[in-house]
Amino acid sequence: MTALRLKNISKSFGPVEVLKNIDLTVEDGEFVVFVGPSGCGKSTLLRVIAGLEDASAGLVEIGGVDVTLTPPAKRGIAMVFQTYALYPHLTVRGNMALGLKQARRPKEIIEKRLKEASRMLSLEPYLDRRPSELSGGQRQRVAIGRAIMREPKLFLFDEPLSNLDAALRMNTRVEIAALHRNLAASMIYVTHDQTEAMTLADRIVVMRDGIVEQVGAPMDLYNNPDNQFVAGFLGAPSMNFINAGQHGFEQAAVLGIRPEHLKISDTGPLQGHVTHVERLGADTNVLVKLNTDEMLTLRLFGQYDFEIDAPIRLGYAMKDAFLFDENGHRVK
Amino acid sequence: MNKARRNLAHSIAAHTLLLSYTILALFPVFVILINSFKTRKAIFRHPLTPPNPDSFSLVGYETVLKQGDFFHYFQNSMIVTVVSLFFILLFGAMAAFALAEYRFRGNVWMGLYLALGIMIPIRIGTVAILQMMVASGLVNTLTALILVYTAQGLPLAVFILTEFMKQVSDDLKNAGRIDGLSEYAIFFRLALPLVRPAMATVAVFNMIPIWNDLWFPLILAPSEATKTLTLGSQVFIGQFVTNWNAVLAALSLAIIPVLALYVIFSRQLIRGITAGAVK
Ligand SMILES: Nc1ncnc2c1ncn2[C@@H]1O[C@H](COP(=O)(O)OP(=O)(O)OP(=O)(O)O)[C@@H](O)[C@H]1O
Ligand SMILES: [Mg+2]
């Protein structure tokens, strides 16, 4: 069964077209991540799916039912927000139970689910606290707990971790992954964090300016991007783009090489000098200025020392060269 | 303030400034209070000395309380002020929520139109208002006053509250929608509590002018049954003789409820229940 099907979704705010003819299917139990630069319409698409925003055109189906005209509470979805959005006047318990109370579910069911959810997220000690008495990470767990309580057909996450610090982000990320495994629920997750996208997703949807650029499994997108935008967007440091013609590829406009695919080699075709070195411990990023005045990033695993301005020669394997035409489409 | 940030000189300067302003602001009230407890002679001879055994007298308060309907006037003022404030806050917040939350055609113009009233004194329309009240048979009712004061207070209330309503987190409202709260529940249970400090501000702004108003009670509701305190106190001010003891006593008594309301609202103003709620 399909958890979600979007057909031709468009959305305009006045004259501005924010989403353009989006088609997308999410299978049952799938974890789909939306990525894309800021302002590309990820949150808007999520809100359209949730029913918080009406699509200007198109169809939303959740669990096989057309919900285009159904209010958010009846769509069988739950949403976790970047700002947590907990009800300030309710305790953790009240926050988590409100949705079920509004739906007039029996007390026993609410109690049972509350127990389960708070155990899953280790929230038992905090049930009687107000949100203002919790730390950021705890608040986000409550928000996730509130979503779990609804037992939705589809979870929607809008950058749930971006207000947390790095260590907590990693913990919560692992928790969300575990949650996905345990609940076997369908999830849609918006982020602009590469790591979250790559590690959590079954499939990644790369968006730009309101259109879907490419959909695929993380490694497929990484190894086989359809266009220059996707190639540049995934991977950190991002892919190097240099003039293809100048480097022996007459059939294309742009040559792309990932930083980790560049190798130092005495016979390599790319000559230049070192302009900057970033030592990260496990790996070293070297910024190189080519004699053609183009900049390259080289990623080496391990620790290395380089003199600034020292000459350097780089090579790469043919299979690692990505070629794009002047419109950014992949040339194979 | 913590110790590291405390600076003695600054602190003294700031407190001197604040204290002198307080004294300046409270001085008239102080003069009214002390003189309300003095004999008429003492009021005129030594207006600035506090009452002493010789000059002490409760004659003002006795006159006021014997005047019979004083408590009734008091009650009228209280009803008019509290009910008007209630409507100003309720309708003001509702309009503000709609303007801040919903995108509809003419949203901005509607906001401007509602705010226009801030610049136009309602008294300009007194004659028309009186005609309307006569036509609808509301002359000499408290309802007339309540309607006028509500209208008078709404523009500023809508203007101020709209700004604050815009700051209520969208995510919070959306979370409510997903949990199945109706738009009314979102307004009353999520938005209103978060703009409580702003509502208190609006209430304080509106309260004093309504309580002190003489104009509309005189024109719209001068009957004995509907007199407000300010209007009622005018009986002591004659064209030739003014009963100063009574006037001062009435004024002193009139301060009490305003003070009480102010204390209630300012507590709301200070209470920050929203801290850490959303983020
Ligand atoms: N209510 C609105 N009225 C008008 N324009 C809006 C509205 N909401 C969003 N937009 C516009 O729609 C575009 C997409 O916004 P959206 O919030 O979906 O971006 P996003 O991809 O989630 O970005 P971010 O990563 O920064 O969260 C933006 O250009 C934004 O200015
Ligand atoms: Mg967003």
Side-chain angles (χ1 to χ4, degrees):
Chain A
M1 207 178 66
T2 52
L4 170 78
R5 191 196 307 268
L6 300 178
K7 282 188 197 150
N8 256 320
I9 292 289
S10 297
K11 172 74 190 170
S12 314
F13 290 110
V16 191
E17 216 181 353
V18 177
L19 298 176
K20 297 161 197 160
N21 290 322
I22 295 206
D23 283 298
L24 184 74
T25 314
V26 176
E27 299 301 330
D28 241 1
E30 208 178 9
F31 199 118
V32 171
V33 173
F34 294 173
V35 293
S38 193
C40 70
K42 306 178 298 279
S43 300
T44 308
L45 183 57
L46 210 62
R47 284 206 299 272
V48 167
I49 296 171
L52 298 167
E53 201 86 70
D54 292 327
S56 313
L59 209 71
V60 183
E61 262 179 34
I62 294 176
V65 185
D66 180 357
V67 294
T68 315
L69 297 175
T70 313
K74 303 222 164 82
R75 287 193 176 196
I77 51 119
M79 192 156 172
V80 177
F81 299 88
Q82 178 179 358
T83 55
Y84 319 142
L86 299 178
Y87 310 119
H89 59 295
L90 296 179
T91 58
V92 169
R93 187 191 301 276
N95 264 283
M96 288 170 64
L98 184 71
L100 294 183
K101 273 191 191 148
Q102 286 299 120
R104 302 194 194 292
R105 304 298 296 268
K107 269 218 172 67
E108 308 83 68
I109 291 195
I110 300 182
E111 260 322 299
K112 186 168 143 277
R113 290 202 196 164
L114 192 67
K115 230 186 212 145
E116 248 172 55
S118 50
R119 184 188 49 78
M120 230 185 282
L121 295 162
S122 338
L123 284 171
E124 285 113 335
Y126 313 114
L127 282 181
D128 292 311
R129 293 209 199 161
R130 298 272 169 113
S132 54
E133 300 160 346
L134 298 175
S135 74
Q138 290 164 344
R139 282 179 208 170
Q140 195 54 291
R141 289 219 299 281
V142 175
I144 294 173
R146 181 170 65 181
I148 295 176
M149 293 280 291
R150 299 175 57 81
E151 295 193 347
K153 286 180 249 173
L154 182 63
F155 281 88
L156 306 173
F157 294 88
D158 193 353
E159 304 194 24
L161 308 186
S162 47
N163 278 357
L164 304 181
D165 65 54
L168 210 51
R169 202 178 298 177
M170 159 123 190
N171 286 342
T172 320
R173 193 170 73 218
V174 173
E175 254 173 63
I176 290 178
L179 204 68
H180 178 236
R181 265 195 308 276
N182 296 337
L183 297 176
S186 327
M187 298 186 170
I188 297 182
Y189 189 104
V190 169
T191 181
H192 43 223
D193 182 302
Q194 298 257 340
T195 330
E196 282 171 32
M198 297 304 252
T199 55
L200 288 172
D202 294 323
R203 275 196 305 156
I204 294 182
V205 176
V206 183
M207 292 179 63
R208 175 169 61 159
D209 290 343
I211 58 170
V212 174
E213 289 280 345
Q214 194 177 354
V215 182
M219 289 312 130
D220 284 347
L221 293 192
Y222 192 81
N223 296 329
N224 209 357
D226 273 351
N227 54 47
Q228 190 179 344
F229 175 76
V230 175
F233 193 77
L234 295 179
S238 60
M239 187 184 275
N240 297 299
F241 294 113
I242 52 181
N243 187 313
Q246 281 189 353
H247 296 280
F249 296 91
E250 303 300 341
Q251 74 273 37
V254 177
L255 164 64
I257 309 167
R258 294 209 179 270
E260 65 268 30
H261 291 152
L262 287 169
K263 299 278 175 309
I264 296 177
S265 116
D266 293 337
T267 56
L270 304 170
Q271 301 189 31
H273 57 270
V274 175
T275 61
H276 185 68
V277 183
E278 288 180 333
R279 291 181 194 83
L280 300 170
D283 36 282
T284 308
N285 294 334
V286 186
L287 268 66
V288 175
K289 187 168 192 178
L290 294 183
N291 295 343
T292 51
D293 260 1
E294 290 161 313
M295 295 298 298
L296 283 183
T297 310
L298 157 72
R299 185 173 179 205
L300 298 169
F301 299 92
Q303 301 178 1
Y304 295 85
D305 276 325
F306 287 94
E307 297 278 327
I308 300 294
D309 282 335
I312 190 168
R313 273 189 91 152
L314 302 171
Y316 53 90
M318 255 328 143
K319 67 171 176 54
D320 293 330
F322 294 90
L323 294 173
F324 304 98
D325 65 19
E326 40 304 314
N327 297 322
H329 295 302
R330 180 87 179 275
V331 180
K332 293 200 179 164
Chain B
M1 231 196 303
N2 64 20
K3 271 195 184 130
R5 284 193 290 144
R6 205 178 297 161
N7 176 327
L8 194 63
H10 276 186
S11 183
I12 289 176
H15 280 89
T16 317
L17 210 69
L18 290 173
L19 273 178
S20 29
Y21 181 75
T22 311
I23 291 170
L24 200 69
L26 286 183
F27 187 68
V29 180
F30 174 72
V31 172
I32 289 174
L33 274 179
I34 56 170
N35 282 313
S36 71
F37 289 104
K38 295 199 308 206
T39 58
R40 187 181 169 81
K41 236 187 229 157
I43 292 176
F44 282 101
R45 205 155 294 156
H46 307 289
L48 294 183
T49 43
N52 57 31
D54 272 342
S55 64
F56 182 81
S57 151
L58 286 174
V59 63
Y61 289 92
E62 278 160 18
T63 324
V64 169
L65 297 183
K66 258 192 287 183
Q67 194 67 26
D69 272 344
F70 188 79
F71 279 112
H72 189 67
Y73 301 158
F74 209 91
Q75 200 185 0
N76 286 340
S77 276
M78 207 65 187
I79 291 173
V80 168
T81 309
V82 170
V83 176
S84 303
L85 282 184
F86 175 78
F87 283 133
I88 290 172
L89 292 180
L90 179 71
F91 296 141
M94 281 179 149
F97 184 74
L99 287 174
E101 178 63 12
Y102 304 121
R103 286 190 298 269
F104 54 88
R105 211 176 292 255
N107 180 316
V108 175
W109 289 110
M110 183 65 115
L112 278 179
Y113 171 70
L114 286 176
L116 210 62
I118 299 172
M119 285 165 272
I120 301 171
I122 194 168
R123 287 175 193 197
I124 288 178
T126 302
V127 174
I129 290 175
L130 183 59
Q131 280 169 345
M132 263 191 313
M133 293 300 171
V134 171
S136 49
L138 287 176
V139 172
N140 278 331
T141 61
L142 295 183
T143 316
L145 293 179
I146 291 170
L147 287 176
V148 169
Y149 291 141
T150 307
Q152 171 186 306
L154 272 178
L156 191 66
V158 172
F159 186 72
I160 293 179
L161 292 177
T162 305
E163 278 314 303
F164 280 83
M165 283 291 182
K166 278 184 187 154
Q167 285 163 24
V168 175
S169 145
D170 279 337
D171 283 355
L172 187 66
K173 289 177 278 198
N174 284 338
R177 289 190 182 112
I178 287 177
D179 272 341
L181 297 181
S182 67
E183 293 299 309
Y184 287 99
I186 289 172
F187 171 71
F188 282 110
R189 283 162 64 182
L190 300 183
L192 268 198
L194 291 176
V195 298
R196 229 152 58 169
M199 306 241 295
T201 312
V202 170
V204 169
F205 265 123
N206 278 301
M207 177 175 71
I208 317 269
I210 296 177
W211 181 265
N212 285 344
D213 192 34
L214 180 59
W215 181 265
F216 283 113
L218 191 60
I219 293 167
L220 297 179
S223 77
E224 193 54 31
T226 55
K227 260 186 196 164
T228 60
L229 189 60
T230 322
L231 185 55
S233 309
Q234 302 302 312
V235 297
F236 305 118
I237 301 179
Q239 194 176 354
F240 305 109
V241 202
T242 294
N243 186 342
W244 284 109
N245 297 76
V247 170
L248 292 176
L251 285 177
S252 304
L253 289 175
I255 292 171
I256 298 168
V258 184
L259 216 58
L261 283 179
Y262 182 80
V263 169
I264 295 172
F265 289 130
S266 61
R267 277 180 91 159
Q268 293 298 323
L269 240 153
I270 292 159
R271 184 183 299 174
I273 67 144
T274 77
V278 179
K279 218 173 146 188

